[in-house]
Amino acid sequence: MSKRIIVALVLCSIFFLTNAFGADAEILFPGNVITLDLHNKKQINGARFMALYKIDGRFAVEEVVVSFGPSSNEDITEIVSSKKNTIALFRNTNIRSGDVQTVVEGLDVDKNSKKLSLGSSSYVVRETQQGLSLGGPDGLSSIIGFGDVFHIIWAGDLDRDGKLDLIVYSSDAEGKGATSCLFLSSVADMGKLVKKMACQGYSG
C-alpha cells in the first residue's frame, strides 16, 4: 500500500458505513483506530468475524475473535484480530472458512489499464473521469469507486463463485475523505460484475 494511503489510514479517525448496504454485512481493518461513540463497542469487542489473512504466501479465511487494542486516549482505540497477518475482517453470510484464490494484493490504480486474471476470466481496472472502472467477461463494465486515489487492497475469489471479488480503498487527493469497501460477485445484480456489500469510512 502506498505511503500516503498508509498515512491516511493511521491518522484519520474512522466511522462506519457497514450496514448501509446490507444488515448482514460488516467490514473492519485491524490496526485502524476508531472513535467509540460512532459505533456500539459491545457489538465488536469479543465478537466473531471472518478474517482474510496471509499464511505462507497464500490467503485463507478463518473465524476469529475481534478485540480492542490499548490506547492512551479513552475515546480512541484500535481493532485487533486474534489471527496474525489479517488483511480485513468480515461479517457476511457469503464468506466462509477455507483457502481463497488470490489475484493481487496491494495495487495502485491509475489511468493506465491493469489486467487481472481469475481462472479463464480476464478483468481490467483503471481510473476514469467517472471513478474506478472494473471491466470483465461478456463486455460488462461497472464504476465501483469514486475519488481521486484508488488502491486495490485485495482481489480474488473471496466468496468462491469463480468470479472476481475486491476490497478497494478510494479517497480524495488529500486523503481527508476516504472509504475501504468490500465488493462481492456472488450477489451482484443482473448485468453487474460485483455488488458493494460493506464499507469502512475515514474522515480527517
Side-chain angles (χ1 to χ4, degrees):
M1 189 177 292
S2 67
K3 183 177 180 180
R4 62 179 172 177
I5 292 175
I6 293 173
V7 171
L9 294 182
V10 173
L11 296 182
C12 291
S13 61
I14 297 171
F15 61 92
F16 290 86
L17 303 176
T18 51
N19 292 321
F21 306 98
D24 63 341
E26 288 190 79
I27 186 168
L28 297 173
F29 293 90
N32 285 326
V33 294
I34 65 170
T35 52
L36 297 182
D37 60 339
L38 294 173
H39 198 84
N40 185 349
K41 62 181 180 180
K42 292 182 180 179
Q43 295 178 0
I44 297 179
N45 196 30
R48 292 189 173 275
F49 278 69
M50 303 304 290
L52 172 65
Y53 67 99
K54 192 173 186 178
I55 179 171
D56 298 328
R58 61 182 176 84
F59 284 85
V61 172
E62 183 177 314
E63 187 177 71
V64 300
V65 175
V66 173
S67 59
F68 293 139
S71 173
S72 59
N73 187 328
E74 63 180 10
D75 294 323
I76 298 177
T77 190
E78 181 177 315
I79 295 295
V80 177
S81 167
S82 59
K83 197 75 178 179
K84 292 183 179 179
N85 301 319
T86 293
I87 304 299
L89 297 152
F90 317 98
R91 279 201 287 206
N92 185 279
T93 56
N94 297 284
I95 300 172
R96 62 185 189 276
S97 297
D99 289 351
V100 290
Q101 186 175 355
T102 298
V103 173
V104 68
E105 176 198 8
L107 176 66
D108 289 327
V109 181
D110 52 31
K111 294 179 180 179
N112 297 315
S113 297
K114 291 181 171 61
K115 183 178 178 180
L116 305 177
S117 296
L118 180 65
S120 60
S121 297
S122 294
Y123 298 81
V124 174
V125 291
R126 67 185 182 94
E127 176 189 336
T128 69
Q129 289 185 338
Q130 292 75 34
L132 179 62
S133 172
L134 173 67
D138 302 322
L140 294 179
S141 181
S142 302
I143 299 296
I144 63 170
F146 301 92
D148 301 307
V149 176
F150 300 102
H151 179 83
I152 296 177
I153 298 172
W154 183 91
D157 188 9
L158 190 59
D159 55 20
R160 298 184 181 87
D161 66 345
K163 300 177 182 179
L164 191 69
D165 307 306
L166 306 101
I167 306 171
V168 176
Y169 170 93
S170 59
S171 77
D172 58 30
E174 294 77 25
K176 292 182 178 180
T179 59
S180 292
C181 297
L182 167 66
F183 297 86
L184 293 181
S185 56
S186 59
V187 291
D189 296 329
M190 183 73 68
K192 302 293 184 180
L193 293 169
V194 292
K195 182 175 182 178
K196 185 187 293 184
M197 296 301 296
C199 292
Q200 180 172 282
Y202 313 83
S203 62

